[in-house]
Amino acid sequence: MTNEEEKEKVDETAETAAEETKKQEESETENTKTEDTAKETSAEETSEENSEPSAEDELLSMKEQLEESENKYLKLYAEFENFKRRNRQETELNNKYKDQKFAEDLLPVIDNLERALAIKGTDESFNALHKGVEMVYNNLVETLEKHEIKAIEALDQPFDPNFHQAVMTEESDTESDIVIEEFQKGYILKDRVIRPTMVKVSE
C-alpha cells in the first residue's frame, strides 16, 4: 500500500469518526430537548392542576354564598315586616283619631252656644229662642258623643295637668289643688285630649 492510499484511508476513518460524533451529539441534543419539553409539559399540567379549585373548595365557596344570600334575605324580610308594622300602626292611629279635626272645628261653635245659653231673659220670645238654642246645643253634644268626643269633667275634681290648664289659683275652704271654677270646657277624643279645660284651682 502506498503512502497516498494510507493517507486516504486515514482521512476516511477520521471523517467517519467525525460523522458518528456529530450524530451522537445531535442525538444527545434531541434527547435533552425532549426531556426539557416533557418537564415543561409536566410543569404546566401540575400548574393547571394546582390552579383549578378542588371540589371541597367549590363546596365551601357555595356555602359562603348561600349564607350571604340568606343573611341579605333575612335583613330585607325584617325591614319589610317593620315597615308593614309601622304602616299598620299609623293607619290604625289615623283611623282612631280621624274625627279630631272635625271636633276641633266644632269646639268654637259649642263655646258660642254655651255663652248664648248663659244669657238670662224673662220674656216669651227670649225663652223660645233660648229653648231653640238649647235644643241645637244638646243635639250637637249628642252627635259628638257618638263619635266618642266628650267634655272633660273638671269642676270639684282634683287638678290633673294632663286634662286641666290652671289659669288662676285662689284660696278656698276646700282642700288644695281642687278645681273650683271652669272658664272653658275641655274635650277628649277617646283617650286623647283635644283641648284641656281652663280652670281656677284652690290653693
Side-chain angles (χ1 to χ4, degrees):
M1 181 181 291
T2 63
N3 291 335
E4 291 181 358
E5 289 176 348
E6 287 179 359
K7 186 178 179 181
E8 287 177 359
K9 190 172 183 179
V10 170
D11 291 339
E12 287 176 1
T13 303
E15 287 177 1
T16 302
E19 287 177 0
E20 288 179 358
T21 302
K22 185 177 180 181
K23 287 181 180 178
Q24 186 177 356
E25 288 176 354
E26 288 177 353
S27 177
E28 288 177 357
T29 302
E30 287 179 1
N31 290 337
T32 303
K33 287 182 179 179
T34 303
E35 288 177 0
D36 291 342
T37 303
K39 287 180 181 179
E40 289 177 0
T41 303
S42 176
E44 288 176 358
E45 290 176 353
T46 304
S47 176
E48 288 177 358
E49 288 177 358
N50 292 336
S51 64
E52 291 180 359
S54 65
E56 185 178 349
D57 291 338
E58 288 182 355
L59 181 60
L60 183 61
S61 176
M62 291 175 66
K63 284 183 178 180
E64 290 177 353
Q65 290 177 3
L66 180 60
E67 289 179 359
E68 185 178 352
S69 297
E70 286 180 349
N71 290 335
K72 287 181 179 179
Y73 167 76
L74 291 175
K75 184 178 179 181
L76 287 173
Y77 180 78
E79 289 178 355
F80 181 64
E81 287 298 314
N82 288 335
F83 168 76
K84 288 199 302 183
R85 178 179 53 80
R86 289 193 300 268
N87 192 49
R88 183 172 59 252
Q89 289 176 345
E90 186 176 348
T91 301
E92 291 174 354
L93 193 65
N94 290 337
N95 289 335
K96 184 176 182 180
Y97 301 113
K98 66 182 184 300
D99 293 327
Q100 180 169 344
K101 187 69 173 75
F102 162 74
E104 290 173 348
D105 292 339
L106 283 180
L107 292 186
V109 178
I110 294 177
D111 294 339
N112 289 331
L113 290 174
E114 288 177 348
R115 293 187 187 98
L117 291 174
I119 300 172
K120 303 297 182 182
T122 55
D123 57 49
E124 290 184 6
S125 60
F126 177 85
N127 289 335
L129 180 61
H130 188 277
K131 186 68 174 177
V133 172
E134 187 176 14
M135 290 175 62
V136 172
Y137 173 78
N138 291 334
N139 192 12
L140 184 56
V141 170
E142 289 175 3
T143 302
L144 291 176
E145 289 178 351
K146 288 179 181 178
H147 291 268
E148 298 185 74
I149 303 165
K150 300 178 181 180
I152 298 172
E153 294 186 8
L155 194 60
D156 299 326
Q157 299 293 320
F159 174 75
D160 186 344
N162 295 316
F163 301 99
H164 309 142
Q165 180 181 352
V167 293
M168 288 182 65
T169 59
E170 186 178 282
E171 292 184 0
S172 174
D173 295 335
T174 63
E175 57 183 297
S176 60
D177 290 332
I178 298 294
V179 176
I180 56 178
E181 186 177 349
E182 283 184 352
F183 298 114
Q184 185 183 59
K185 280 188 178 180
Y187 288 85
I188 188 170
L189 170 60
K190 296 179 181 179
D191 56 353
R192 175 182 288 183
V193 175
I194 300 174
R195 185 179 74 184
T197 307
M198 294 176 62
V199 297
K200 180 192 292 184
V201 182
S202 62
E203 293 181 347

